[in-house]
Amino acid sequence: MEKLTRLFSMAPLLLILCLPLAFGGHDYNQALSKSILFFEAQRSGYLPRDQRVLWRANSGLNDGKASGLDLVGGYYDAGDNVKFGLPMAFTITMMSWSIVEYGKQMAANGELGHAMAAVKWGTDYLIKAHPEPYVLYGEVGDGNSDHYCWQRPEDMTTDRHAYKIDPSNPGSDLAGETAAAMAAASVVFRRSNPAYSSELLHHAYQLFEFADKYRGKYDSSITVAQKYYRSVSGYNDELLWAAAWLYQASNNDYYLNYLGKNGDSMGGTGWAMTEFGWDVKYAGVQTLVAKFLMQGKAGLHAPVFKRYHQKAEHFMCALIGKGSRNVQKTPGGLIFRQRWNNMQFVTSASFLATVYSDYLTSSGGTLRCDAGNVAPSQLLSFAKSQVDYLLGDNPRATSYMVGYGNNFPQQVHHRGSSIVSIKIHPQFIACRQGYAAWYSRKTSDPNVLTGAVVGGPDAYDNFADERDNYEQTEPATYNNAPLLGILARLGGGHAGYNQLLPVAIPAPKPVSAKPRTEPKAKSTLASSSPVSIQQKVTKSWNEKGRTYYRYSTMVTNKSSKTLKDLKLSISKLYGPLWGLTKSGISYGLPTHINSLPAGKSIEFVYIHAASPADVSVSSYNLA
């Protein structure tokens, strides 16, 4: 995430060309499995029972508390311990798009369940970050104080202030991207978890309205983000991007009309792009709208949608070197946009090339470039060449995915992987101590950050595997997210699907894992708790296209003593609750009940259009 400038010595081109090449077949399914695993290393909050990256532990457990909210969870964006909302939301959107297009291939590989879990880890947090229709929390932690420290996330002592946007401090780009993430994820869960899918779409509707009604750049409101994730492109691209995903998710003509009426004025039909990423979404919008056009959905907006389509083709032609303004490439053939974390642009652009190739193939079309018509297979071949380079087919014979192949980065710029696991060395590591004892070491990381895609080589294919070389050795979630779809596509063969047909993502197979004890937040309970909590659905009904559930929760004192001062923690609650008294972020017994005698129970109920809330005991006394 660090963007500070650094100069590197450039080896002569002759020496680069003399380096060995490692061409050969790649195991894309293995690479897919590893790339999904990386997201488990980036998790913040209470880790689940099926956590597979075992050198990580719980972290960020008080996030949001100072604001009276539960903002525990989500993802750290890169090698740091900050939760940045804009790149996190983009990550969720791109993971979801990968599943929407290639979920069947992921299912065949046995990875669909893991991929969907990775999406849900992000959307669970985004739901928490959107507590009111016109309020969205867009950052937890501060980049400046975080970069002063080199600590495991489990040891964090840096500021965990939560920053928000609201009508007085708008952020259309942040709210728009988060709406896109919620909408795309709602498609992912439509079959396997319809209540959750409906909940996500509801948030997406509200966030789009917020973004469109109260316009402004988010980094003008959350100024601490400016140094790290400045919204250079503004917010028009995110508004169009969100509208495209809301149409994909809802089939509501309001969003199709929004794309048609605003395409020219907001730059959707005007910007001819050669990049796509967490900041600039125009090429992604143009690709989606081109899909709608190929599906015959444009209607009266066909002339405008054709202009979107032309710009999408400009992007694709630029990638393969057949346009009027082509992307820069290294001597080894890799897309090169910038020397800081260049690989983010490689994976994002390659994903668009992959899906557009399949859109063209499904519609029987060809790519029209300045240099002539191009077969869709050439786009897919280009995307494959970029992935193969990333996995090791390059002048250095280096895999830029950690843990894949025999020659991959060993000194990753990542706090968690570079410091010995807290499970092995439980002693606290202080802020500056981490720099002195671990950052400066010239040895391999003690924890392998399996699946992480690092920043990658420079414009001349040079790469220095050094921890302080953050421009090249730092990974990021948004590097990996688009790669999931490409790897699933390359590993899944070439036949048996049509990308223009309605999406039907298969239900994931159950994921088996060795059960582990899941810790409880600030619980004073022993392993045999005297308090039992049982929840059940007592009623459900449909209203305005949504299914609502009434949940009954019984809290029982199983001990032989009287239960007093009971405090419950309730998260993932999205509707009204009756039968408890709220105090701060906790819930207690009703004011007219001071205690719960031995063997007695108390019931409370709540209603929302989602799975049961998470209810746990925070504290209590036995008299």
Side-chain angles (χ1 to χ4, degrees):
M1 188 192 69
E2 284 90 340
K3 292 187 176 179
L4 303 178
T5 304
R6 176 175 175 167
L7 295 176
F8 297 100
S9 59
M10 305 297 182
L13 181 60
L14 178 62
L15 292 179
I16 297 172
L17 296 177
C18 291
L19 290 172
L21 295 174
F23 293 108
H26 286 289
D27 188 338
Y28 300 117
N29 288 325
Q30 180 195 105
L32 172 64
S33 300
K34 291 179 184 293
S35 64
I36 296 173
L37 191 63
F38 165 64
F39 289 98
E40 296 192 15
Q42 297 300 106
R43 284 172 169 169
S44 180
Y46 290 100
L47 300 186
R49 291 189 182 94
D50 58 359
Q51 172 79 9
R52 295 176 294 165
V53 179
L54 299 181
W55 50 266
R56 281 294 323 282
N58 300 332
S59 62
L61 303 185
N62 292 317
D63 284 358
K65 186 175 181 180
S67 301
L69 292 170
D70 173 12
L71 293 178
V72 176
Y75 288 110
Y76 303 118
D77 71 304
D80 54 85
N81 298 328
V82 185
K83 295 191 298 200
F84 291 98
L86 183 59
M88 191 194 306
F90 177 72
T91 294
I92 302 307
T93 307
M94 294 308 297
M95 279 200 289
S96 297
W97 197 359
S98 292
I99 296 171
V100 167
E101 300 289 354
Y102 303 113
K104 290 182 180 179
Q105 287 82 352
M106 292 182 188
N109 188 28
E111 289 296 335
L112 179 59
H114 290 133
M116 292 174 69
V119 171
K120 192 171 187 296
W121 190 267
T123 51
D124 282 350
Y125 170 79
L126 294 181
I127 289 171
K128 292 180 179 183
H130 183 223
E132 301 173 36
Y134 295 160
V135 174
L136 176 64
Y137 282 81
E139 182 172 333
V140 178
D142 169 62
N144 292 332
S145 61
D146 179 86
H147 287 180
Y148 181 76
C149 293
W150 194 263
Q151 288 179 293
R152 300 173 294 202
E154 296 83 0
D155 287 331
M156 272 191 296
T157 56
T158 48
D159 174 48
R160 301 301 290 175
H161 184 83
Y163 301 88
K164 69 179 180 179
I165 56 173
D166 56 28
S168 300
N169 303 281
S172 300
D173 29 24
L174 174 63
E177 180 60 68
T178 309
M182 297 288 209
S186 77
V187 180
V188 170
F189 293 102
R190 181 167 295 156
R191 179 181 174 190
S192 62
N193 193 341
Y196 189 66
S197 173
S198 178
E199 179 185 7
L200 291 172
L201 192 55
H202 180 66
H203 281 277
Y205 288 143
Q206 290 186 339
L207 284 162
F208 180 81
E209 181 182 344
F210 176 30
D212 195 36
K213 184 175 182 179
Y214 299 100
R215 295 191 181 185
K217 284 180 56 181
Y218 96 103
D219 56 13
S220 296
S221 299
I222 303 177
T223 56
V224 294
Q226 289 182 0
K227 185 178 176 181
Y228 306 100
Y229 290 102
R230 179 185 292 274
S231 180
V232 177
S233 70
Y235 54 76
N236 283 336
D237 52 338
E238 276 85 10
L239 289 173
L240 295 172
W241 176 242
W245 275 110
L246 275 160
Y247 179 68
Q248 171 95 351
S250 68
N251 207 35
N252 188 323
D253 283 343
Y254 173 84
Y255 301 102
L256 190 76
N257 293 334
Y258 189 96
L259 291 166
K261 293 176 181 178
N262 296 287
D264 293 332
S265 62
M266 288 186 170
T269 64
W271 283 104
M273 306 305 302
T274 56
E275 69 170 279
F276 172 59
W278 60 261
D279 180 28
V280 186
K281 312 293 165 43
Y282 283 113
V285 175
Q286 291 154 359
T287 300
L288 279 174
V289 175
K291 177 184 181 181
F292 301 154
L293 182 66
M294 293 179 201
Q295 290 174 317
K297 295 181 177 180
L300 297 175
H301 302 297
V304 179
F305 279 25
K306 287 178 181 178
R307 293 196 287 274
Y308 278 103
H309 187 198
Q310 290 168 357
K311 292 302 187 290
E313 299 221 318
H314 175 277
F315 179 82
M316 304 303 163
C317 296
L319 294 181
I320 59 176
K322 294 184 180 296
S324 59
R325 184 167 60 96
N326 298 319
V327 300
Q328 179 184 347
K329 295 185 177 72
T330 68
L334 185 73
I335 294 172
F336 187 80
R337 171 71 185 174
Q338 65 183 34
R339 64 186 187 183
W340 171 77
N341 191 14
N342 180 67
M343 205 61 81
Q344 62 179 304
F345 301 107
V346 175
T347 59
S348 293
S350 297
F351 178 85
L352 291 188
T354 300
V355 296
Y356 197 75
S357 169
D358 287 334
Y359 295 162
L360 288 175
T361 300
S362 300
S363 66
T366 58
L367 176 62
R368 294 160 297 181
C369 297
D370 290 346
N373 289 349
V374 177
S377 59
Q378 286 189 242
L379 271 178
L380 186 61
S381 295
F382 169 78
K384 180 179 181 297
S385 74
Q386 299 299 294
V387 173
D388 288 347
Y389 183 111
L390 186 156
L391 295 177
D393 291 359
N394 56 66
R396 289 182 49 87
T398 296
S399 166
Y400 294 105
M401 177 184 287
V402 178
Y404 181 89
N406 298 318
N407 181 25
F408 54 83
Q410 302 292 320
Q411 296 185 35
V412 183
H413 184 91
H414 187 276
R415 286 155 177 78
S417 65
S418 66
I419 303 175
V420 65
S421 171
I422 196 169
K423 297 181 180 180
I424 297 173
H425 181 82
Q427 289 79 11
F428 173 74
I429 295 176
C431 173
R432 303 302 292 176
Q433 179 187 359
Y435 273 112
W438 295 98
Y439 179 81
S440 59
R441 290 193 177 193
K442 302 302 180 184
T443 56
S444 300
D445 294 338
N447 309 305
V448 179
L449 194 63
T450 302
V453 175
V454 299
D458 65 14
Y460 300 94
D461 299 298
N462 294 321
F463 178 79
D465 185 10
E466 299 167 356
R467 194 167 294 113
D468 62 352
N469 179 13
Y470 47 79
E471 293 181 334
Q472 295 188 324
T473 63
E474 186 173 20
T477 55
Y478 43 90
N479 294 8
N480 278 61
L483 191 60
L484 304 190
I486 314 170
L487 291 171
R489 174 66 174 85
L490 294 176
H494 300 282
Y497 58 98
N498 184 329
Q499 299 309 104
L500 298 184
L501 293 176
V503 176
I505 299 167
K509 296 178 181 178
V511 178
S512 60
K514 183 179 178 181
R516 302 196 299 127
T517 302
E518 185 174 7
K520 297 184 183 299
K522 297 187 176 180
S523 174
T524 58
L525 299 179
S527 58
S528 56
S529 171
V531 182
S532 71
I533 300 172
Q534 293 183 317
Q535 299 198 71
K536 64 179 180 180
V537 176
T538 58
K539 187 177 181 180
S540 65
W541 65 95
N542 290 314
E543 184 175 337
K544 295 182 180 180
R546 301 187 72 194
T547 303
Y548 291 85
Y549 303 90
R550 180 188 186 274
Y551 292 98
S552 169
T553 306
M554 298 295 297
V555 180
T556 303
N557 178 7
K558 300 190 299 179
S559 74
S560 59
K561 298 181 179 181
T562 298
L563 188 68
K564 292 186 175 181
D565 302 322
L566 176 66
K567 298 295 182 185
L568 298 176
S569 173
I570 304 178
S571 61
K572 300 181 184 177
L573 175 65
Y574 313 114
L577 179 149
W578 298 270
L580 295 178
T581 300
K582 188 172 184 180
S583 176
I585 61 174
S586 299
Y587 292 81
L589 297 174
T591 53
H592 63 280
I593 299 177
N594 297 322
S595 59
L596 194 61
K600 298 297 183 179
S601 300
I602 185 171
E603 179 188 28
F604 67 90
V605 299
Y606 59 92
I607 294 172
H608 66 192
S611 302
D614 290 344
V615 182
S616 60
V617 177
S618 296
S619 62
Y620 67 94
N621 287 314
L622 290 177

